[in-house]
Amino acid sequence: MMQFNVLNRELSVGSIKIDAVTSASLVQIGDSETIQLAATFDTPPESLIIGPFVPLSPEG
């Protein structure tokens, strides 16, 4: 079991820019007492296409 200790201090975020996300992503700002992530992948490996990230919004 992994134990992760955090010291909470003052937090100030001016802005965040996210260009792309992966298939399993977490972006968190602020406090959480518990985070539990789980993922399943039921697609056959031969149908997996690995390519560039997909932008969240068109540029320009």
Side-chain angles (χ1 to χ4, degrees), residues 4-53:
F4 186 70
N5 295 318
V6 177
L7 298 175
N8 288 318
R9 307 271 189 220
E10 184 177 329
L11 176 67
S12 176
V13 178
S15 66
I16 294 178
K17 179 182 177 185
I18 299 175
D19 292 323
V21 296
T22 61
S23 57
S25 300
L26 169 69
V27 175
Q28 177 183 346
I29 301 172
D31 293 338
S32 288
E33 186 160 325
T34 302
I35 298 175
Q36 185 174 12
L37 301 173
T40 59
F41 194 73
D42 60 358
T43 304
E46 61 270 10
S47 67
L48 179 63
I49 300 171
I50 299 175
F53 291 111

